[in-house]
Amino acid sequence: MKAKIVSTASYLPEKVLSNADLEKLVDTTDEWITSRTGMKERRLAADDEFTSNMGTKAAKLAMERAGLESKDVDLILVATLTPDYMFPSTACLIQRELKAENAAAMDFQAACSGYIYGLSIAKGYIQAGMYKNIILIAAEKLSAIVDYEDRGTSILFGDGASACVISSEGSGLEIDAVTLGADGNLAEILIMPAGGVRNPASKETVENRDHYIKMEGREVFKHAVRRMEAASQKCVEISGVDEIHWLVPHQANIRIIEVLAKRFKIPMEKVFLTIHKYGNTSASSVGIALDELLNEKKIEKGENILLPAFGAGLTWGAALLTKE
Ligand code: COA
C-alpha cells in the first residue's frame, strides 16, 4: 500500500516584520541579516490569532483541495513547538473546528523537523492499513516565544502554518522514503528553558527571560549542515532514485541551503525558497515551501522532490517524494 500526499495548503498571517522593522528593535542591519541568513521579511500572527487558528485555516484548504469531507478524516496530526496550551492538544482544538468527529487527534514535537517526522508517522499508519485519510498540520506562532531584545534569534523566526492530506487512495506525491534522526545530547543548544515542569513559570523565570528561545547559533549551524546532508543521502539511497529534481529544504538559513544544494549538485533554480519572505517558521517551513512549489511550478510525472529538515532536540530527517 502506498501513502500519498494528495493535497497541500498553507496559511501565512498578514502582518509583515521586515528587516527595517527589526533595525528599530535590536542592534542589527538589513545588510547583516540579508547576507548572513537570506531573510528579508517574516510574517507575524495577530494578537488574537493562535497556532490552532492558523492550522485550521491550512487544514480546511487542504481538505477542500483533496475533496475530503470532515467525516472521512481518520487522524489529525499536529507538529508544533508553540501549542495553544500545554494541554489539551492543539490537534483537538483543530478537530473541533474541522468538525471531524470520527478522527483521532494528537500533537507531536520534533521542532523544525516536525513536518518530516509527521510524514513518517502518516506513512506508517497508512501502510499498516490502520487509517485511510490523515491530515498532517504543522503550525507555529513563534513570535510568542521570540525574544525581541535578542538580535541572535529575533531576526530568524516567523509565524505560519502548512497542512497536507495523506491518503492511501487518490493520486499526488508518493512518500517514497523517510529517514529520521535525533541527538538529545545537544538538547540545550536550542531551547526554551522555562514553562515546562523542570522550570515552571515563576517571577524568576520571567525576569530571566527564560520563556523565550535561546540558541547557540554557530553550533546549530554546524550540526544542521552535517545532519541534513547525511539524512538526505540515506533517504536517496533507500529510495533508489538516481536524480533529485527539486530540493525543498527547511528554510533556516540560505547559507545552510546553499551548502546542501552544492553537496547534492542541485542547481539553485531547482531549490525552492521562501526564506526571504517568511524566515524560519519551524515545523511549518517545509510544508509551506512544498505547497508554494506545487502552486507555482509544474511537477512532471516521475520527478522527485527531496525535503530535508533539522531542528531543536536535536532532530533531523529527510523525505523523498515522487510525483505519480
Ligand atoms: N546583527 C548584527 N550582528 C549580529 C547579529 C545581528 N542580528 N547577530 C549576531 N551578530 C554578531 C555577533 O554578535 C558576532 O559579533 P562578534 O564577532 O563581534 O562577536 C558576529 O555577528 C558573528 O556572530 P555569529 O553568531 O558567528 O554569526 P553567524 O554567521 O553564525 O550567524 C546565525 C548567526 C544565527 C544567523 C547563524 O549562526 C545561523 O543561522 N545558525 C543556525 C540557526 C538555525 O538554523 N536555527 C534554527 C535551527 S532549525
Side-chain angles (χ1 to χ4, degrees), residues 289-302:
L290 179 64
D291 179 50
E292 293 205 355
L293 168 75
L294 298 180
N295 292 335
E296 287 176 25
K297 310 271 181 191
K298 174 137 180 50
I299 310 299
E300 303 293 341
K301 196 165 180 266

Side-chain angles (χ1 to χ4, degrees), residues 11 13-15 44-50 54 141 143 159:
Y11 169 79
E14 265 173 44
K15 191 175 171 194
L44 297 186
D47 290 345
D48 61 352
E49 187 171 42
F50 309 105
M54 293 189 282
K141 184 172 180 174
S143 58
D159 301 332

Side-chain angles (χ1 to χ4, degrees), residues 104-277:
M106 67 168 164
D107 288 5
F108 63 96
Q109 219 262 68
C112 300
S113 313
Y115 198 81
I116 307 303
Y117 267 67
L119 291 179
S120 160
I121 298 169
K123 180 176 162 70
Y125 273 123
I126 284 180
Q127 292 191 328
M130 192 162 165
Y131 293 128
K132 277 188 181 158
N133 297 310
I134 298 175
I135 303 181
L136 168 64
I137 298 154
E140 302 283 11
K141 184 172 180 174
L142 292 167
S143 58
I145 60 162
V146 163
D147 185 349
Y148 288 102
E149 292 185 9
D150 175 11
R151 69 177 182 172
T153 53
S154 60
I155 58 163
L156 299 174
F157 299 102
D159 301 332
S162 55
C164 62
V165 173
I166 302 166
S167 297
S168 53
E169 286 160 13
S171 68
L173 296 166
E174 187 192 341
I175 307 171
D176 264 351
V178 190
T179 53
L180 305 176
D183 183 1
N185 292 311
L186 295 167
E188 282 78 20
I189 68 172
L190 182 48
I191 188 170
M192 186 174 101
V197 296
R198 200 180 276 233
N199 294 308
S202 69
K203 192 164 163 284
E204 287 71 33
T205 61
V206 172
E207 280 169 3
N208 288 341
R209 308 184 76 75
D210 282 341
H211 296 269
Y212 292 123
I213 296 171
K214 312 277 180 200
M215 182 178 71
E216 291 174 36
R218 230 173 293 182
E219 272 304 292
V220 172
F221 190 104
K222 204 171 67 189
H223 291 285
V225 173
R226 200 179 296 159
R227 296 304 192 176
M228 280 200 283
E229 185 188 355
S232 300
Q233 190 61 48
K234 203 164 146 194
C235 201
V236 168
E237 277 165 27
I238 292 171
S239 64
V241 301
D242 48 19
E243 193 178 347
I244 301 161
H245 300 89
W246 296 95
L247 180 66
V248 182
H250 173 44
Q251 312 276 318
N253 187 313
I254 189 69
R255 292 182 293 142
I256 296 176
I257 295 172
E258 282 167 354
V259 173
L260 214 54
K262 210 167 161 193
R263 303 255 165 102
F264 287 90
K265 300 189 173 58
I266 302 169
M268 282 311 281
E269 62 270 19
K270 292 290 185 178
V271 180
F272 198 79
L273 300 174
T274 57
I275 190 166
H276 52 294
K277 299 188 286 187

